[in-house]
């Protein structure tokens, strides 16, 4: 085998068999994992690149369709890419369980089992099963398996599942009610244990924590480092992606925007949390090009030639017809009440936009409940203060699960004897109980918006889509249960409220970059399939609005113009814009200034 070039970062020159790229959304995990896979394959290794993100854009980056089976990447001998598709994995899991039924099972019995296996927790377990298989025997044909993971909260849950399910299965010989026939899981117990062993083996598994030179993703990466160590994943490295250095002109001066951007990055790096400062570290410079295509990905890590500068074909087009955030707050306030769902790829600024809109609605005389479904839960940190008539909440998975278990034990378990209660409690220890509990909490929030403003800062795209799957599954279950009855016309499910344009307003947030815009467009398509129509787009951190003259930033503006032209070309019905700010908008006062009347 050939060696990776000497100029490659340390996590490549000492690459273990399994590499996990994880971090807050928007830090560049997909770009770095794809670039790493290409570099290792170019060095003669057999590499499998795996996406565990339901909203992955590896297909756009590599120019190949994503499937739930390995697909060779043209132009990179030895590299294949695989997407763990939750829906495809769930269907394969259902078929495996159905195959175990007796040959004499009736169609009604089979239909009952399929219905039992239609929920969100089955989808999660099926996707996890595919993931565990790669860590166990099915990854044997590859020199390296590289995982491009979903944003942090979702990934931590995924990486904790081998331990959770191994422990649950070890003490449970019965059926898990949310999964139907328990043998479907029981037969995978050996695989789960092998996955757990592989994750904890520092000789074969490395976690690459990816961050930007920015305090918030660094704080999240530090928390992730600690949580992963608790799970037994101690072999960690840090990559600071997108490190920017301002160009100094002949007169010794630098563009003010560029100077501010460089200073913020340097401050974040020098003040990074101790949990990160102790790790071996690589820095990847901010590049002038979009990381789409093989040549750009080879250049990203400095192991290939830099692509030629792309002419700014959009420089002469009319500016995007976008309005300020204050106008968006005005229009929402006029509705009087409702659910405002702020959605998008991780790292695009959903929390900032959600908090600014909530403060803006309070400024306009309304009471607002600002809450989040994001496991990272940065809402309180972003507000950094309180405001009369603004209630701040969080759908906390652990707290919701405990409350849900207590409720079930107090109702369903009330009539059971001591042994029956013990069996029910054991069944409720299943990790998938959390998915059910979070859905119930989400349903309460949706219902609250019937008479007040609720601003919901959602989790990054993939995690939110799983929650939407749970909402859809519940809707189908209720419709089937009451089909033909007199009560059917009076049933209103959470999905129906989300589809009600007079009550729910979905705001898609994006950066003016190719990946966030593509993922916002894909999310919009998913929502429309569920008959939920997005109401507006917000373009966050627009560098074009700063008037920068820095050469590297101006080169990146070519990409920004192309993306705003895409949005103006029909992606969004309404568009609002927020410029890049030298001072991050943290605190009630700063947020209020973004959407002030």
């Amino acid at each position: 085998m050939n060696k990776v070039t000497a100029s490659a970062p340390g996590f490549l020159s000492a690459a273990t068999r399994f590499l996990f790229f994880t971090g807050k959304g928007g830090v560049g995990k997909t770009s770095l994992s794809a670039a790493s896979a290409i570099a290792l394959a170019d060095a003669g290794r057999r590499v499998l690149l795996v996406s565990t993100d339901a909203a992955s854009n590896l297909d756009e980056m590599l120019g190949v369709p994503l499937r739930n089976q390995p697909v060779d990447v043209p132009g990179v001998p030895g590299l294949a890419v695989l997407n763990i598709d939750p829906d495809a994995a769930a269907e394969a899991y259902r078929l495996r369980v159905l195959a175990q039924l007796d040959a004499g099972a009736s169609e009604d019995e089979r239909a009952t089992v399929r219905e039992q296996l239609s929920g969100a927790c089955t989808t999660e377990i099926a996707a996890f099963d595919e993931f565990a298989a790669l860590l166990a025997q099915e990854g044997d044909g590859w020199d390296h398996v590289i995982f491009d993971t979903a944003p942090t909260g979702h990934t931590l849950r995924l990486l904790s599942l081998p331990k959770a399910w191994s422990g649950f299965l070890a003490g449970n010989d019965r059926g898990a009610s949310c999964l139907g026939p328990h043998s479907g899981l029981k037969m995978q117990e050996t695989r789960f244990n092998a996955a757990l062993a592989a994750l904890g083996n520092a000789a074969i598994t490395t976690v690459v924590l990816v961050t930007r030179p920015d305090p918030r993703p660094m704080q999240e990466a530090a928390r992730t480092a600690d949580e992963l160590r608790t799970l037994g994943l101690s072999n960690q490295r840090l990559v600071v992606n997108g490190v920017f250095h301002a160009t100094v002109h002949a007169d010794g001066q630098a563009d003010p925007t560029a100077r501010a951007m460089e200073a913020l990055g340097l401050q974040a790096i020098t003040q990074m949390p101790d949990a990160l400062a102790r790790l071996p570290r690589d820095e990847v410079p901010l590049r002038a090009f979009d990381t789409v295509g093989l040549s750009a990905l080879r250049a990203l890590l400095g192991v290939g030639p830099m692509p030629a500068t792309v002419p700014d074909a959009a420089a002469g087009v009319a500016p995007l017809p976008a309005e300020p955030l204050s106008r968006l707050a005005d229009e929402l306030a006029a509705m009087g009440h409702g659910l405002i769902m702020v959605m998008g790829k991780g790292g695009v600024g959903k929390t900032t936009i959600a908090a600014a809109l909530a403060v803006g609605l309070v400024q306009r005389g309304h009471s607002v409940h600002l809450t989040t479904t994001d496991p990272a839960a940065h809402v309180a940190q972003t507000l950094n203060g309180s405001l009369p008539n603004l209630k701040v909440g969080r759908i906390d998975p652990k707290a919701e699960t405990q409350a849900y278990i207590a409720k079930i034990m107090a109702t369903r378990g009330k009539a059971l004897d001591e042994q029956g209660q013990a069996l029910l409690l054991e069944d409720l220890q299943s990790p998938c109980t959390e998915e059910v509990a979070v859905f119930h909490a989400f349903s309460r929030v949706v219902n609250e918006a019937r008479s007040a403003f609720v601003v919901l800062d959602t989790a990054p795209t993939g995690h939110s889509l799983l929650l939407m799957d749970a909402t859809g599954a519940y809707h189908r279950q209720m419709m089937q249960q009451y089909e033909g009855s007199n009560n059917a016309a009076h049933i209103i499910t959470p999905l129906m409220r989300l589809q009600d344009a007079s009550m729910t307003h979905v705001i898609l947030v994006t950066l003016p970059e190719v990946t966030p815009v593509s993922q916002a467009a894909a999310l919009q398509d998913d929502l429309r399939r569920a008959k939920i129509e997005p109401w507006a787009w917000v373009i966050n951190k627009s560098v074009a609005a700063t008037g920068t003259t820095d050469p590297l930033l101006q080169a990146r503006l070519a990409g920004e113009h192309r993306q705003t032209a895409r949005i103006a070309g029909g992606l969004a019905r309404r568009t609002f814009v927020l410029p890049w700010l030298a001072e991050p908008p943290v605190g009630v006062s700063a947020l209020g200034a973004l959407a002030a009347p």
Side-chain angles (χ1 to χ4, degrees), residues 34-119:
S36 300
I38 291 169
L40 290 169
D42 285 346
R45 321 282 174 82
R46 281 185 47 76
V47 183
L48 178 64
L49 176 59
V50 182
S51 172
T52 66
D53 190 348
S56 176
N57 69 313
L58 271 175
D59 52 348
E60 184 176 19
M61 284 189 174
L62 296 172
V64 293
L66 294 183
R67 298 194 179 94
N68 59 347
Q69 295 294 326
V71 176
D72 291 337
V73 178
V76 191
L79 175 61
V81 61
L82 164 69
N83 182 46
I84 296 180
D85 183 319
D87 292 333
E91 180 59 19
Y93 179 83
R94 281 188 285 269
L95 292 175
R96 285 202 304 275
V97 174
L98 288 167
Q100 296 175 50
L101 295 179
D102 292 337
S106 68
E107 284 304 313
D108 285 346
E109 289 171 329
R110 289 180 175 276
T112 298
V113 170
R114 178 171 281 279
E115 180 59 32
Q116 286 179 320
L117 296 173
S118 66

Side-chain angles (χ1 to χ4, degrees), residues 401-414:
T401 301
Q402 291 171 355
Y404 177 78
I405 291 174
K407 179 181 178 180
I408 295 298
M409 292 302 298
T411 53
R412 196 187 308 169
K414 186 176 182 180

Side-chain angles (χ1 to χ4, degrees), residues 331-385:
E331 295 188 13
L332 291 172
M335 306 292 179
H337 69 90
L339 174 66
I340 301 164
M341 291 183 68
V342 183
M343 305 183 74
K345 174 181 164 63
V348 297
K350 295 185 303 296
T351 301
T352 296
I353 301 301
L357 290 175
V359 172
L361 289 170
V362 171
Q363 291 172 328
R364 289 159 175 80
H366 296 280
S367 295
V368 180
H369 180 192
L370 171 63
T371 188
T372 182
T373 63
D374 191 344
H378 293 303
V379 165
Q381 184 181 1
T382 299
L383 279 171
N384 194 30

Side-chain angles (χ1 to χ4, degrees), residues 221-313:
R223 285 192 295 270
T224 302
D226 290 336
E227 291 191 51
L228 290 174
R229 272 191 285 271
T230 301
L231 292 172
L233 282 77
S234 57
N235 186 18
Q236 303 174 10
R237 296 188 65 97
L238 176 67
V239 176
V240 183
N241 186 33
V243 178
F244 174 68
H245 298 287
T247 300
V248 178
H249 299 297
D251 59 1
Q253 300 298 312
D255 172 70
T257 297
R259 190 186 304 116
M261 195 175 290
E262 180 182 40
L264 287 173
L266 179 61
Q267 181 181 22
I269 290 173
T270 56
Q271 297 178 2
M272 75 171 63
D274 289 343
L276 299 184
R278 294 193 299 265
L279 297 177
R281 181 172 92 225
D282 296 292
E283 294 184 7
V284 177
L286 181 69
R287 302 298 188 186
F289 49 85
D290 290 331
T291 52
V292 174
L294 299 183
S295 62
L297 289 167
R298 283 188 169 104
L300 175 61
L301 297 178
V303 297
M306 293 295 153
T309 302
V310 179
D312 187 0

Side-chain angles (χ1 to χ4, degrees), residues 156 158 184 212 218 241 304 444 447 459 502 512 518 553 557 578 596:
L156 283 172
L158 178 72
R212 291 275 184 179
M218 283 189 165
N241 186 33
R444 291 197 300 272
N447 196 53
S502 67
S518 294
L553 295 181
L557 283 182
L578 194 64

